[in-house]
Amino acid sequence: MDDVRAPPGTSPGTARQGPAGQQPANQGPPQQAPAQELMERYVDGDGDAFEQLFHQVAPKLYSYLLRLTRDRERAEDLVQVTFAKVHRARDSYLRGAPVIPWVLAIARRSFYDERRRAKARQEDLTFDGVVPDPKPQPDQVPNDVAESLERALARLPDNYREAIELTKFTGLSVAETAQVLGTTETAVKLRVHRGYNQLRSELERFRRGSP
């Protein structure tokens, strides 16, 4: 009888043998490391961990920023800005803490910083010494459900809209949303509740055909 040897690093009792001449079945690609583990490895100087972290976090970050900016190019730019700030702030990361809320909080601050700077530029005087009037925005009645929802969300106060988008679109928990917004869980729940009430009113206006 032939001697069956276990693969290196295993004991004969744990080795699994397939049919003669066949390799063990492919177990599929390895699972991704959790974001917290990648962030901790990056803080410790592992450059490869940062690349993995970027590919894991960037899609959700981009989706969040796209909802904030309503502009693909600005969202893409802010993704790069956010990760540059993550790099600079890596030593301030609290080991074991959820990474996504921490990164989204940095992205949110970056967005509002950019918006404040843009607003300041818009207030520059014209050659006649007059502050330029803001361009009128079209207020047409949307013609489908998705557009109605986006228009209704855009009409909400920022604090209501952000609470809804983070919990319902980005998929964060109430606790994670509170961390991003720098507020309490009770405040997040209240903003979501009030936001939904106002959202229903806005959608009803659109349904009646009111701009």
Side-chain angles (χ1 to χ4, degrees), residues 147-163:
E147 186 182 355
S148 296
L149 178 59
E150 289 299 327
R151 291 285 297 278
L153 280 168
R155 288 174 178 258
L156 296 182
D158 285 346
N159 56 346
Y160 293 175
R161 176 174 51 78
E162 283 190 285

Side-chain angles (χ1 to χ4, degrees), residues 83-187:
F83 273 102
K85 291 184 177 182
V86 166
H87 170 72
R88 292 196 294 270
R90 63 192 183 280
D91 290 333
S92 68
Y93 169 70
L94 181 63
R95 290 175 181 268
V99 174
I100 294 291
W102 182 68
V103 172
L104 294 189
I106 293 173
R108 180 175 180 267
R109 288 193 295 271
S110 300
F111 166 73
Y112 281 106
D113 286 346
E114 180 194 77
R115 195 166 77 166
R116 279 190 291 269
R117 289 193 297 268
K119 185 177 180 181
R121 289 194 297 268
Q122 289 171 359
E123 292 175 353
D124 289 342
L125 297 180
T126 66
F127 291 113
D128 297 327
V130 179
V131 176
D133 293 328
K135 295 181 180 178
Q137 298 294 323
D139 202 13
Q140 300 173 349
V141 177
N143 56 14
D144 60 51
V145 175
E147 186 182 355
S148 296
L149 178 59
E150 289 299 327
R151 291 285 297 278
L153 280 168
R155 288 174 178 258
L156 296 182
D158 285 346
N159 56 346
Y160 293 175
R161 176 174 51 78
E162 283 190 285
I164 290 174
E165 289 180 339
L166 285 168
T167 54
K168 305 305 177 184
F169 294 98
T170 307
L172 299 189
S173 67
V174 170
E176 290 171 335
T177 299
Q179 181 181 343
V180 173
L181 300 179
T183 187
T184 64
E185 294 181 33
T186 300

Side-chain angles (χ1 to χ4, degrees), residues 19-41:
Q22 292 186 11
Q23 296 295 325
N26 185 6
Q27 300 299 315
Q31 292 184 342
Q32 285 186 324
Q36 289 93 327
E37 177 186 325
L38 292 173
M39 188 65 203
E40 290 178 10
R41 284 166 48 194

Side-chain angles (χ1 to χ4, degrees), residues 68-87:
L68 276 181
T69 62
R70 304 298 199 271
D71 183 285
R72 292 182 182 277
E73 186 175 344
R74 285 182 64 202
E76 290 171 357
D77 288 345
L78 281 168
V79 167
Q80 302 302 321
V81 169
T82 300
F83 273 102
K85 291 184 177 182
V86 166
H87 170 72

